[in-house]
Amino acid sequence: MGDSGGSVVSVDVERISFGGKEHHIQTNHGSVSVAVYGDHDKPALVTYPDVALNHMSCFQGLLFCPEAASLLLHNFCIYHISPPGHELGATPISLNTPLPSVDDLADQVADVLDFFGLGSVMCLGATAGAYILTLFAAKYRERVLGLILVSPLCKAPTWTAWFYSKVESNLLYYYGMCGLIKESLLQRFFSKEVRGCSELPESDIVQACRSLLDQRQSMNVWRFVQTMNGRYDLREELKQLQCRTLIFVGENSQFHAEAVHMTAKLDRRYCALVEVQACGSLVTEEQPHAMLIPMEYFFMGYGLYKPSQLECSPRSPLSPFCISPELLSPESMGVKLKPIKTRARLEV
């Protein structure tokens, strides 16, 4: 088991951000921003975004989907952790500050949980963020109830990926968030269907993401890219995970093969893979509606429910009979869904 160790002290900086309260916390592994949404008495859902993103650009589509937002906020208090220097309005991190390792970022998640007095949490991460939360789950197994991973990474970078990432790092370092870097990131996040072409304009979500990338501090993004380029293989650690795992990946994602491989390495009894058709890596933004029904059934295994639209009770259980049968078809969901197999009993 990992040990976060030491004390965690909050810097006295808080502000209201889009309905949530943002906390700047000084951890044992550097400063981190955490935006908190919801009732603190509810179970905790911790999110971690992909490279160059924060919760507004990585999970906004999911939380702006009314049914998904209702499901999540009804059951959870959401703690959005931003990679160091990726929060809205971030200032450049000093070049004298040592680069964190992936282990440092995973330990930083533990520090955040300690600061808020959280025990076991649900985790939702996208690509690089999925790697960090998977590593956190491997190091602090008793602190993770379940993992929801979007186009996750689990391997060390190949030589080709490492070289490509080094080229990107150099461009970021010397030229900042230039056009070439933005196009590379948009290709990482989205399918070509929404990125547009000479005949079709970019979709609104891609335009919004492009605008948000302009607001990123390029050196802070460079630091996260460098950290992820030093990641190591987690495949042995996957065998030790003790929580259920729900993996989403777009069929057109650059990381599709790795997500499928990761699923094969996990205990098949407690893992499910959802392949979303005609979608890139960032399912939370491109096709968030495809996540709803799989998440509903995933949460049912923990005794967590969707608010009933038919009853006054705030916690009426979901039932397959309350869902129109055609909604369960792959064509309607836009997914290829492998059965979610869960434990017969689970202590929460």
PDB file of all heavy atoms in Angstrom, residues 157-183:
ATOM      1  N   PRO A 157       5.247   4.160 -22.734  1.00  0.00           N
ATOM      2  CA  PRO A 157       5.201   4.557 -24.147  1.00  0.00           C
ATOM      3  C   PRO A 157       6.134   3.709 -24.996  1.00  0.00           C
ATOM      4  O   PRO A 157       7.225   3.338 -24.562  1.00  0.00           O
ATOM      5  CB  PRO A 157       5.637   6.032 -24.117  1.00  0.00           C
ATOM      6  CG  PRO A 157       6.370   6.200 -22.831  1.00  0.00           C
ATOM      7  CD  PRO A 157       5.765   5.242 -21.868  1.00  0.00           C
ATOM      8  N   THR A 158       5.693   3.373 -26.188  1.00  0.00           N
ATOM      9  CA  THR A 158       6.571   2.706 -27.143  1.00  0.00           C
ATOM     10  C   THR A 158       7.651   3.695 -27.580  1.00  0.00           C
ATOM     11  O   THR A 158       7.555   4.909 -27.336  1.00  0.00           O
ATOM     12  CB  THR A 158       5.789   2.242 -28.376  1.00  0.00           C
ATOM     13  OG1 THR A 158       5.258   3.411 -29.041  1.00  0.00           O
ATOM     14  CG2 THR A 158       4.639   1.327 -27.981  1.00  0.00           C
ATOM     15  N   TRP A 159       8.680   3.188 -28.260  1.00  0.00           N
ATOM     16  CA  TRP A 159       9.727   4.096 -28.725  1.00  0.00           C
ATOM     17  C   TRP A 159       9.167   5.131 -29.687  1.00  0.00           C
ATOM     18  O   TRP A 159       9.536   6.306 -29.654  1.00  0.00           O
ATOM     19  CB  TRP A 159      10.859   3.306 -29.395  1.00  0.00           C
ATOM     20  CG  TRP A 159      11.780   2.667 -28.410  1.00  0.00           C
ATOM     21  CD1 TRP A 159      11.908   1.339 -28.132  1.00  0.00           C
ATOM     22  CD2 TRP A 159      12.706   3.345 -27.548  1.00  0.00           C
ATOM     23  NE1 TRP A 159      12.840   1.134 -27.155  1.00  0.00           N
ATOM     24  CE2 TRP A 159      13.360   2.344 -26.781  1.00  0.00           C
ATOM     25  CE3 TRP A 159      13.046   4.675 -27.349  1.00  0.00           C
ATOM     26  CZ2 TRP A 159      14.320   2.655 -25.826  1.00  0.00           C
ATOM     27  CZ3 TRP A 159      14.008   4.992 -26.393  1.00  0.00           C
ATOM     28  CH2 TRP A 159      14.632   3.983 -25.649  1.00  0.00           C
ATOM     29  N   THR A 160       8.244   4.701 -30.536  1.00  0.00           N
ATOM     30  CA  THR A 160       7.634   5.645 -31.483  1.00  0.00           C
ATOM     31  C   THR A 160       6.835   6.712 -30.752  1.00  0.00           C
ATOM     32  O   THR A 160       6.957   7.913 -31.039  1.00  0.00           O
ATOM     33  CB  THR A 160       6.714   4.892 -32.460  1.00  0.00           C
ATOM     34  OG1 THR A 160       7.468   3.894 -33.153  1.00  0.00           O
ATOM     35  CG2 THR A 160       6.084   5.846 -33.469  1.00  0.00           C
ATOM     36  N   ALA A 161       6.006   6.278 -29.784  1.00  0.00           N
ATOM     37  CA  ALA A 161       5.206   7.231 -29.017  1.00  0.00           C
ATOM     38  C   ALA A 161       6.097   8.144 -28.188  1.00  0.00           C
ATOM     39  O   ALA A 161       5.833   9.347 -28.056  1.00  0.00           O
ATOM     40  CB  ALA A 161       4.226   6.480 -28.118  1.00  0.00           C
ATOM     41  N   TRP A 162       7.160   7.579 -27.622  1.00  0.00           N
ATOM     42  CA  TRP A 162       8.092   8.375 -26.820  1.00  0.00           C
ATOM     43  C   TRP A 162       8.753   9.453 -27.682  1.00  0.00           C
ATOM     44  O   TRP A 162       8.836  10.623 -27.286  1.00  0.00           O
ATOM     45  CB  TRP A 162       9.154   7.468 -26.215  1.00  0.00           C
ATOM     46  CG  TRP A 162      10.166   8.184 -25.357  1.00  0.00           C
ATOM     47  CD1 TRP A 162      10.065   8.434 -24.019  1.00  0.00           C
ATOM     48  CD2 TRP A 162      11.415   8.736 -25.791  1.00  0.00           C
ATOM     49  NE1 TRP A 162      11.177   9.112 -23.588  1.00  0.00           N
ATOM     50  CE2 TRP A 162      12.023   9.316 -24.651  1.00  0.00           C
ATOM     51  CE3 TRP A 162      12.071   8.796 -27.014  1.00  0.00           C
ATOM     52  CZ2 TRP A 162      13.262   9.945 -24.709  1.00  0.00           C
ATOM     53  CZ3 TRP A 162      13.300   9.438 -27.075  1.00  0.00           C
ATOM     54  CH2 TRP A 162      13.888  10.001 -25.935  1.00  0.00           C
ATOM     55  N   PHE A 163       9.204   9.062 -28.881  1.00  0.00           N
ATOM     56  CA  PHE A 163       9.856  10.026 -29.771  1.00  0.00           C
ATOM     57  C   PHE A 163       8.884  11.118 -30.212  1.00  0.00           C
ATOM     58  O   PHE A 163       9.209  12.310 -30.207  1.00  0.00           O
ATOM     59  CB  PHE A 163      10.428   9.300 -30.997  1.00  0.00           C
ATOM     60  CG  PHE A 163      11.083  10.222 -31.986  1.00  0.00           C
ATOM     61  CD1 PHE A 163      12.347  10.737 -31.744  1.00  0.00           C
ATOM     62  CD2 PHE A 163      10.432  10.585 -33.160  1.00  0.00           C
ATOM     63  CE1 PHE A 163      12.955  11.593 -32.653  1.00  0.00           C
ATOM     64  CE2 PHE A 163      11.023  11.439 -34.069  1.00  0.00           C
ATOM     65  CZ  PHE A 163      12.291  11.942 -33.816  1.00  0.00           C
ATOM     66  N   TYR A 164       7.669  10.712 -30.578  1.00  0.00           N
ATOM     67  CA  TYR A 164       6.651  11.676 -31.005  1.00  0.00           C
ATOM     68  C   TYR A 164       6.339  12.656 -29.881  1.00  0.00           C
ATOM     69  O   TYR A 164       6.196  13.865 -30.097  1.00  0.00           O
ATOM     70  CB  TYR A 164       5.389  10.929 -31.429  1.00  0.00           C
ATOM     71  CG  TYR A 164       4.306  11.807 -31.996  1.00  0.00           C
ATOM     72  CD1 TYR A 164       4.376  12.293 -33.295  1.00  0.00           C
ATOM     73  CD2 TYR A 164       3.195  12.155 -31.234  1.00  0.00           C
ATOM     74  CE1 TYR A 164       3.383  13.098 -33.826  1.00  0.00           C
ATOM     75  CE2 TYR A 164       2.191  12.959 -31.750  1.00  0.00           C
ATOM     76  CZ  TYR A 164       2.293  13.421 -33.051  1.00  0.00           C
ATOM     77  OH  TYR A 164       1.307  14.225 -33.558  1.00  0.00           O
ATOM     78  N   SER A 165       6.253  12.125 -28.649  1.00  0.00           N
ATOM     79  CA  SER A 165       5.968  12.976 -27.498  1.00  0.00           C
ATOM     80  C   SER A 165       7.118  13.935 -27.223  1.00  0.00           C
ATOM     81  O   SER A 165       6.897  15.086 -26.820  1.00  0.00           O
ATOM     82  CB  SER A 165       5.692  12.115 -26.264  1.00  0.00           C
ATOM     83  OG  SER A 165       5.314  12.903 -25.170  1.00  0.00           O
ATOM     84  N   LYS A 166       8.363  13.480 -27.444  1.00  0.00           N
ATOM     85  CA  LYS A 166       9.513  14.369 -27.247  1.00  0.00           C
ATOM     86  C   LYS A 166       9.491  15.507 -28.256  1.00  0.00           C
ATOM     87  O   LYS A 166       9.839  16.654 -27.930  1.00  0.00           O
ATOM     88  CB  LYS A 166      10.816  13.581 -27.364  1.00  0.00           C
ATOM     89  CG  LYS A 166      11.057  12.596 -26.250  1.00  0.00           C
ATOM     90  CD  LYS A 166      11.120  13.250 -24.879  1.00  0.00           C
ATOM     91  CE  LYS A 166      12.389  14.067 -24.689  1.00  0.00           C
ATOM     92  NZ  LYS A 166      12.484  14.591 -23.312  1.00  0.00           N
ATOM     93  N   VAL A 167       9.088  15.219 -29.483  1.00  0.00           N
ATOM     94  CA  VAL A 167       8.964  16.277 -30.491  1.00  0.00           C
ATOM     95  C   VAL A 167       7.910  17.285 -30.053  1.00  0.00           C
ATOM     96  O   VAL A 167       8.127  18.508 -30.130  1.00  0.00           O
ATOM     97  CB  VAL A 167       8.617  15.673 -31.872  1.00  0.00           C
ATOM     98  CG1 VAL A 167       8.283  16.779 -32.866  1.00  0.00           C
ATOM     99  CG2 VAL A 167       9.765  14.816 -32.386  1.00  0.00           C
ATOM    100  N   GLU A 168       6.761  16.786 -29.583  1.00  0.00           N
ATOM    101  CA  GLU A 168       5.722  17.676 -29.083  1.00  0.00           C
ATOM    102  C   GLU A 168       6.231  18.514 -27.910  1.00  0.00           C
ATOM    103  O   GLU A 168       5.936  19.713 -27.811  1.00  0.00           O
ATOM    104  CB  GLU A 168       4.503  16.867 -28.634  1.00  0.00           C
ATOM    105  CG  GLU A 168       3.609  16.387 -29.752  1.00  0.00           C
ATOM    106  CD  GLU A 168       2.316  15.795 -29.208  1.00  0.00           C
ATOM    107  OE1 GLU A 168       2.358  15.191 -28.112  1.00  0.00           O
ATOM    108  OE2 GLU A 168       1.277  15.943 -29.867  1.00  0.00           O
ATOM    109  N   SER A 169       6.973  17.880 -27.028  1.00  0.00           N
ATOM    110  CA  SER A 169       7.511  18.597 -25.866  1.00  0.00           C
ATOM    111  C   SER A 169       8.416  19.737 -26.303  1.00  0.00           C
ATOM    112  O   SER A 169       8.352  20.847 -25.750  1.00  0.00           O
ATOM    113  CB  SER A 169       8.283  17.630 -24.962  1.00  0.00           C
ATOM    114  OG  SER A 169       7.432  16.674 -24.390  1.00  0.00           O
ATOM    115  N   ASN A 170       9.264  19.468 -27.284  1.00  0.00           N
ATOM    116  CA  ASN A 170      10.167  20.511 -27.759  1.00  0.00           C
ATOM    117  C   ASN A 170       9.401  21.659 -28.407  1.00  0.00           C
ATOM    118  O   ASN A 170       9.745  22.842 -28.220  1.00  0.00           O
ATOM    119  CB  ASN A 170      11.180  19.923 -28.746  1.00  0.00           C
ATOM    120  CG  ASN A 170      12.209  19.047 -28.063  1.00  0.00           C
ATOM    121  OD1 ASN A 170      12.481  19.208 -26.876  1.00  0.00           O
ATOM    122  ND2 ASN A 170      12.787  18.111 -28.805  1.00  0.00           N
ATOM    123  N   LEU A 171       8.360  21.326 -29.173  1.00  0.00           N
ATOM    124  CA  LEU A 171       7.540  22.375 -29.777  1.00  0.00           C
ATOM    125  C   LEU A 171       6.858  23.218 -28.702  1.00  0.00           C
ATOM    126  O   LEU A 171       6.799  24.448 -28.791  1.00  0.00           O
ATOM    127  CB  LEU A 171       6.496  21.760 -30.707  1.00  0.00           C
ATOM    128  CG  LEU A 171       7.011  21.201 -32.039  1.00  0.00           C
ATOM    129  CD1 LEU A 171       5.909  20.442 -32.766  1.00  0.00           C
ATOM    130  CD2 LEU A 171       7.535  22.333 -32.925  1.00  0.00           C
ATOM    131  N   LEU A 172       6.328  22.549 -27.678  1.00  0.00           N
ATOM    132  CA  LEU A 172       5.689  23.267 -26.582  1.00  0.00           C
ATOM    133  C   LEU A 172       6.691  24.172 -25.866  1.00  0.00           C
ATOM    134  O   LEU A 172       6.393  25.319 -25.516  1.00  0.00           O
ATOM    135  CB  LEU A 172       5.099  22.277 -25.576  1.00  0.00           C
ATOM    136  CG  LEU A 172       3.653  21.839 -25.768  1.00  0.00           C
ATOM    137  CD1 LEU A 172       3.335  20.660 -24.860  1.00  0.00           C
ATOM    138  CD2 LEU A 172       2.697  22.991 -25.494  1.00  0.00           C
ATOM    139  N   TYR A 173       7.872  23.652 -25.647  1.00  0.00           N
ATOM    140  CA  TYR A 173       8.888  24.384 -24.885  1.00  0.00           C
ATOM    141  C   TYR A 173       9.339  25.638 -25.632  1.00  0.00           C
ATOM    142  O   TYR A 173       9.480  26.711 -25.035  1.00  0.00           O
ATOM    143  CB  TYR A 173      10.078  23.463 -24.608  1.00  0.00           C
ATOM    144  CG  TYR A 173      11.079  24.039 -23.645  1.00  0.00           C
ATOM    145  CD1 TYR A 173      10.963  23.802 -22.276  1.00  0.00           C
ATOM    146  CD2 TYR A 173      12.153  24.820 -24.084  1.00  0.00           C
ATOM    147  CE1 TYR A 173      11.884  24.323 -21.381  1.00  0.00           C
ATOM    148  CE2 TYR A 173      13.064  25.346 -23.192  1.00  0.00           C
ATOM    149  CZ  TYR A 173      12.922  25.096 -21.841  1.00  0.00           C
ATOM    150  OH  TYR A 173      13.834  25.629 -20.950  1.00  0.00           O
ATOM    151  N   TYR A 174       9.557  25.511 -26.932  1.00  0.00           N
ATOM    152  CA  TYR A 174      10.134  26.633 -27.688  1.00  0.00           C
ATOM    153  C   TYR A 174       9.089  27.519 -28.364  1.00  0.00           C
ATOM    154  O   TYR A 174       9.340  28.713 -28.572  1.00  0.00           O
ATOM    155  CB  TYR A 174      11.112  26.093 -28.742  1.00  0.00           C
ATOM    156  CG  TYR A 174      12.369  25.502 -28.130  1.00  0.00           C
ATOM    157  CD1 TYR A 174      12.572  24.124 -28.125  1.00  0.00           C
ATOM    158  CD2 TYR A 174      13.330  26.317 -27.549  1.00  0.00           C
ATOM    159  CE1 TYR A 174      13.716  23.569 -27.560  1.00  0.00           C
ATOM    160  CE2 TYR A 174      14.477  25.775 -26.975  1.00  0.00           C
ATOM    161  CZ  TYR A 174      14.663  24.409 -26.986  1.00  0.00           C
ATOM    162  OH  TYR A 174      15.783  23.859 -26.420  1.00  0.00           O
ATOM    163  N   TYR A 175       7.921  26.946 -28.713  1.00  0.00           N
ATOM    164  CA  TYR A 175       6.939  27.722 -29.480  1.00  0.00           C
ATOM    165  C   TYR A 175       5.592  27.874 -28.771  1.00  0.00           C
ATOM    166  O   TYR A 175       4.705  28.548 -29.301  1.00  0.00           O
ATOM    167  CB  TYR A 175       6.715  27.073 -30.853  1.00  0.00           C
ATOM    168  CG  TYR A 175       7.972  27.004 -31.681  1.00  0.00           C
ATOM    169  CD1 TYR A 175       8.677  25.807 -31.805  1.00  0.00           C
ATOM    170  CD2 TYR A 175       8.474  28.137 -32.320  1.00  0.00           C
ATOM    171  CE1 TYR A 175       9.847  25.738 -32.555  1.00  0.00           C
ATOM    172  CE2 TYR A 175       9.633  28.081 -33.072  1.00  0.00           C
ATOM    173  CZ  TYR A 175      10.309  26.878 -33.190  1.00  0.00           C
ATOM    174  OH  TYR A 175      11.471  26.820 -33.924  1.00  0.00           O
ATOM    175  N   GLY A 176       5.443  27.253 -27.604  1.00  0.00           N
ATOM    176  CA  GLY A 176       4.189  27.384 -26.876  1.00  0.00           C
ATOM    177  C   GLY A 176       3.056  26.599 -27.525  1.00  0.00           C
ATOM    178  O   GLY A 176       3.281  25.669 -28.310  1.00  0.00           O
ATOM    179  N   MET A 177       1.822  27.010 -27.217  1.00  0.00           N
ATOM    180  CA  MET A 177       0.650  26.319 -27.738  1.00  0.00           C
ATOM    181  C   MET A 177       0.397  26.771 -29.182  1.00  0.00           C
ATOM    182  O   MET A 177      -0.568  27.465 -29.498  1.00  0.00           O
ATOM    183  CB  MET A 177      -0.566  26.607 -26.855  1.00  0.00           C
ATOM    184  CG  MET A 177      -1.790  25.761 -27.164  1.00  0.00           C
ATOM    185  SD  MET A 177      -1.572  23.971 -26.971  1.00  0.00           S
ATOM    186  CE  MET A 177      -1.459  23.819 -25.191  1.00  0.00           C
ATOM    187  N   CYS A 178       1.292  26.335 -30.072  1.00  0.00           N
ATOM    188  CA  CYS A 178       1.223  26.742 -31.477  1.00  0.00           C
ATOM    189  C   CYS A 178       0.168  25.916 -32.217  1.00  0.00           C
ATOM    190  O   CYS A 178      -0.401  24.958 -31.684  1.00  0.00           O
ATOM    191  CB  CYS A 178       2.589  26.578 -32.135  1.00  0.00           C
ATOM    192  SG  CYS A 178       3.218  24.879 -32.121  1.00  0.00           S
ATOM    193  N   GLY A 179      -0.086  26.281 -33.459  1.00  0.00           N
ATOM    194  CA  GLY A 179      -1.115  25.610 -34.239  1.00  0.00           C
ATOM    195  C   GLY A 179      -0.868  24.129 -34.393  1.00  0.00           C
ATOM    196  O   GLY A 179      -1.807  23.320 -34.333  1.00  0.00           O
ATOM    197  N   LEU A 180       0.389  23.734 -34.582  1.00  0.00           N
ATOM    198  CA  LEU A 180       0.708  22.321 -34.770  1.00  0.00           C
ATOM    199  C   LEU A 180       0.379  21.508 -33.518  1.00  0.00           C
ATOM    200  O   LEU A 180      -0.152  20.389 -33.604  1.00  0.00           O
ATOM    201  CB  LEU A 180       2.189  22.171 -35.143  1.00  0.00           C
ATOM    202  CG  LEU A 180       2.653  20.781 -35.603  1.00  0.00           C
ATOM    203  CD1 LEU A 180       1.880  20.346 -36.841  1.00  0.00           C
ATOM    204  CD2 LEU A 180       4.151  20.801 -35.875  1.00  0.00           C
ATOM    205  N   ILE A 181       0.693  22.065 -32.355  1.00  0.00           N
ATOM    206  CA  ILE A 181       0.395  21.373 -31.094  1.00  0.00           C
ATOM    207  C   ILE A 181      -1.111  21.252 -30.890  1.00  0.00           C
ATOM    208  O   ILE A 181      -1.628  20.194 -30.505  1.00  0.00           O
ATOM    209  CB  ILE A 181       1.046  22.112 -29.907  1.00  0.00           C
ATOM    210  CG1 ILE A 181       2.566  21.971 -29.954  1.00  0.00           C
ATOM    211  CG2 ILE A 181       0.508  21.586 -28.586  1.00  0.00           C
ATOM    212  CD1 ILE A 181       3.053  20.549 -29.753  1.00  0.00           C
ATOM    213  N   LYS A 182      -1.833  22.329 -31.162  1.00  0.00           N
ATOM    214  CA  LYS A 182      -3.288  22.275 -30.992  1.00  0.00           C
ATOM    215  C   LYS A 182      -3.917  21.233 -31.909  1.00  0.00           C
ATOM    216  O   LYS A 182      -4.804  20.476 -31.484  1.00  0.00           O
ATOM    217  CB  LYS A 182      -3.894  23.660 -31.249  1.00  0.00           C
ATOM    218  CG  LYS A 182      -3.745  24.608 -30.076  1.00  0.00           C
ATOM    219  CD  LYS A 182      -4.537  25.880 -30.262  1.00  0.00           C
ATOM    220  CE  LYS A 182      -3.868  26.820 -31.233  1.00  0.00           C
ATOM    221  NZ  LYS A 182      -4.517  28.150 -31.242  1.00  0.00           N
ATOM    222  N   GLU A 183      -3.457  21.164 -33.163  1.00  0.00           N
ATOM    223  CA  GLU A 183      -4.011  20.160 -34.075  1.00  0.00           C
ATOM    224  C   GLU A 183      -3.692  18.754 -33.592  1.00  0.00           C
ATOM    225  O   GLU A 183      -4.533  17.847 -33.684  1.00  0.00           O
ATOM    226  CB  GLU A 183      -3.462  20.377 -35.489  1.00  0.00           C
ATOM    227  CG  GLU A 183      -3.966  21.636 -36.171  1.00  0.00           C
ATOM    228  CD  GLU A 183      -5.482  21.705 -36.223  1.00  0.00           C
ATOM    229  OE1 GLU A 183      -6.128  20.650 -36.490  1.00  0.00           O
ATOM    230  OE2 GLU A 183      -6.035  22.793 -35.995  1.00  0.00           O
TER     231      GLU A 183
END
